[in-house]
Amino acid sequence: AFVEDGSNYMTSTSWEAPENTPIDFFERGTEFTNSFMINGGFEGGYYNLGYNQNNTTGILPNSKMDKNKLNFAAGYDVSNKFSVSGKIQYSKTETQGRPQRGYGTTMSMFRQWWNTAVDIEDQRRAYFRNRTNQTWNWAPGALGESPYYWDNLYWIRYENFQTDERDRYFGNVEANYEFADWLNVTGRISIDSYSQFIDERINKGSQAVSNYEMRRYNFTEFNYDLLANYQKQLNEDIRIDGVVGMNIRRNHTKNVAASTNGGLVVEGLYSLDNSVSPINFPNETNEQLGVNGFFASMNFSYGGFLNVEATGRRDRASSLPQGENVYYYPSVSAGFTFSEFVDADWLSFGKVRASWAEVGNTAPPHSIEGTFDRVENAGASTRYSVPHVQNNPDLKPERTKSWEAGIQ
């Protein structure tokens, strides 16, 4: 009623339920999936190649997600005792207009603040007429000029949306050698890595200060494993099995986030260079973590009615102080099937069991030493500030103990 090119400019309207309600804001979502798989084999080996494409549109306007996955696996028996195999999967996800979270969202507007006399179709036409923020709630003294608390919903969905894309690949290669019919050794190298880019925008003309924010996350984890698996039937009643091995894990996390300061200069241009004021220093993270572990387990079985299992692991972590960066976590469990010795029609199975375990864990990187925060310069003077939380140089590893007992 206060926008000159609007359909009811300076015309009073009755306060009544509209023809098009908030339910008409939502759209019909769609999903399309295409995939293919190629499997093949040859003497002593095999291979698998697969591709999957998924395209989804959401129930909110201007929302979609596209996923593409490509995977490959192959293996080969070099001899009757030695085999090698490997697999890799790559995926790319691109998303636009994810649902908002928090208080100031579409759903919170509908549930708490929505003017029930507003026709949602009028809001759609008002936005697409000239792509401006013709809201239903104007600021006092600025009717038709400045939105008050709430933007036009279609302005939010087509101007102030978020996008993100994520590339991830993970896989492993391994070799296995059978030294005896009861003993085999496996060596494996694994990787899991992703790179994610997120940007969020608020266009000029919104009720909030215009803004552009970008965040980039990079993560890589390598695991190097050496395992010896054994299983031996010692006699008719006694059987043992278990594993002895080592694991080397390396994690690297690298993130950066930055945003404009004081608004955007040019409408619809989402770039850090389009900041009204000089941008604040980016928030950067560069973390590395290494853990070396040795472990073993043994399961003892007697007569099919008694089982005893013991495990143990020793880890050494880079994120804890010297002298406190080695920790152990053992466990033991036992089970006894007493129904093997009870002859009763009413009892088909009975077992008592008990277990005890202690689990250790390291701290995140940069947990024992303080680091300075970069803050805005004071003129030509460079400034840093101390953190709000004091790290502990005498930090100890986390330990969790548990036990349980039961009958079934």
Side-chain angles (χ1 to χ4, degrees):
F2 304 104
V3 180
E4 290 190 14
D5 59 353
S7 59
N8 58 348
Y9 176 62
M10 299 305 292
T11 303
S12 61
T13 56
S14 59
W15 186 276
E16 60 183 10
E19 179 181 353
N20 301 286
T21 65
I23 196 67
D24 297 299
F25 176 73
F26 299 96
E27 301 177 346
R28 183 185 299 275
T30 62
E31 182 174 4
F32 296 94
T33 300
N34 299 287
S35 63
F36 72 83
M37 178 70 72
I38 299 175
N39 300 320
F42 50 91
E43 185 176 355
Y46 69 91
Y47 60 87
N48 300 316
L49 175 65
Y51 172 75
N52 179 272
Q53 180 188 53
N54 180 272
N55 305 107
T56 303
T57 60
I59 62 174
L60 291 173
N62 197 35
S63 63
K64 64 177 182 177
M65 177 182 291
D66 298 322
K67 296 181 181 180
N68 291 275
K69 293 182 180 180
L70 180 66
N71 58 77
F72 177 76
Y76 180 65
D77 294 330
V78 181
S79 68
N80 60 348
K81 291 183 175 293
F82 181 54
S83 63
V84 294
S85 63
K87 59 182 180 181
I88 185 73
Q89 177 172 299
Y90 168 77
S91 63
K92 184 178 185 65
T93 303
E94 298 175 288
T95 305
Q96 176 175 294
R98 288 183 185 270
Q100 299 165 299
R101 297 178 299 171
Y103 173 74
T105 67
T106 301
M107 294 307 300
S108 64
M109 182 194 298
F110 282 150
R111 295 177 62 183
Q112 188 171 4
W113 301 111
W114 181 249
N115 182 340
T116 56
V118 171
D119 192 303
I120 197 68
E121 177 62 20
D122 289 343
Q123 285 285 280
R124 189 190 70 81
R125 287 196 298 263
Y127 168 73
F128 283 107
R129 186 178 300 117
N130 51 22
R131 300 265 179 178
T132 57
N133 187 14
Q134 297 186 19
T135 182
W136 55 273
N137 197 37
W138 297 106
L143 300 179
E145 298 178 5
S146 178
Y148 195 52
Y149 291 119
W150 299 104
D151 297 313
N152 182 303
L153 286 171
Y154 289 91
W155 171 271
I156 295 174
R157 294 304 306 167
Y158 286 91
E159 303 292 336
N160 299 348
F161 59 90
Q162 173 252 20
T163 62
D164 62 84
E165 59 181 65
R166 178 184 175 109
D167 295 271
R168 183 188 181 195
Y169 59 91
F170 61 91
N172 64 70
V173 292
E174 68 175 49
N176 182 276
Y177 190 85
E178 184 179 319
F179 285 90
D181 59 356
W182 59 274
L183 175 65
N184 68 80
V185 175
T186 300
R188 180 170 54 239
I189 300 175
S190 306
I191 184 174
D192 188 352
S193 180
Y194 70 82
S195 175
Q196 185 172 20
F197 179 76
I198 301 173
D199 63 356
E200 299 181 0
R201 68 209 75 193
I202 300 176
N203 203 358
K204 293 186 68 173
S206 302
Q207 61 88 19
V209 177
S210 57
N211 183 66
Y212 171 69
E213 180 179 356
M214 56 80 67
R215 301 191 298 273
R216 185 176 293 278
Y217 303 93
N218 294 279
F219 173 81
T220 301
E221 177 176 304
F222 282 99
N223 279 276
Y224 307 88
D225 297 293
L226 183 62
L227 310 169
N229 297 277
Y230 63 91
Q231 51 181 355
K232 185 74 172 178
Q233 189 76 37
L234 300 180
N235 57 41
E236 184 177 346
D237 294 320
I238 301 176
R239 175 188 172 87
I240 60 171
D241 62 78
V243 62
V244 178
M246 62 174 292
N247 169 261
I248 298 173
R249 176 165 61 92
R250 296 293 182 265
N251 295 80
H252 188 192
T253 302
K254 195 171 185 179
N255 306 328
V256 60
S259 65
T260 56
N261 183 19
L264 302 177
V265 177
V266 179
E267 178 182 349
L269 178 58
Y270 302 107
S271 168
L272 297 177
D273 290 337
N274 194 31
S275 178
V276 170
S277 303
I279 68 171
N280 296 324
F281 294 104
N283 184 6
E284 298 180 89
T285 301
N286 192 348
E287 298 177 342
Q288 299 186 56
L289 173 66
V291 179
N292 298 337
F294 298 90
F295 52 88
S297 70
M298 185 184 72
N299 181 61
F300 172 85
S301 176
Y302 182 80
F305 59 85
L306 176 65
N307 287 90
V308 178
E309 182 176 12
T311 69
R313 178 166 178 138
R314 174 191 184 274
D315 277 356
R316 183 185 182 94
S318 64
S319 58
L320 293 171
Q322 291 291 331
E324 298 291 350
N325 62 340
V326 175
Y327 48 95
Y328 301 84
Y329 32 110
S331 74
V332 62
S333 62
F336 176 69
T337 307
F338 61 83
S339 57
E340 294 289 325
F341 303 93
V342 178
D343 185 13
D345 295 337
W346 54 270
L347 180 65
S348 60
F349 180 80
K351 183 178 182 178
V352 292
R353 55 182 175 81
S355 66
W356 172 88
E358 180 177 334
V359 178
N361 193 19
T362 188
H366 309 307
S367 294
I368 60 177
E369 296 180 353
T371 58
F372 291 103
D373 296 328
R374 187 74 158 95
V375 297
E376 185 179 354
N377 290 346
S381 300
T382 302
R383 297 195 305 165
Y384 289 86
S385 69
V386 296
H388 298 294
V389 178
Q390 179 66 44
N391 286 334
N392 184 359
D394 301 318
L395 196 64
K396 298 180 183 297
E398 174 188 318
R399 297 185 184 277
T400 303
K401 296 181 180 180
S402 64
W403 65 272
E404 67 173 14
I407 183 171
Q408 64 185 80

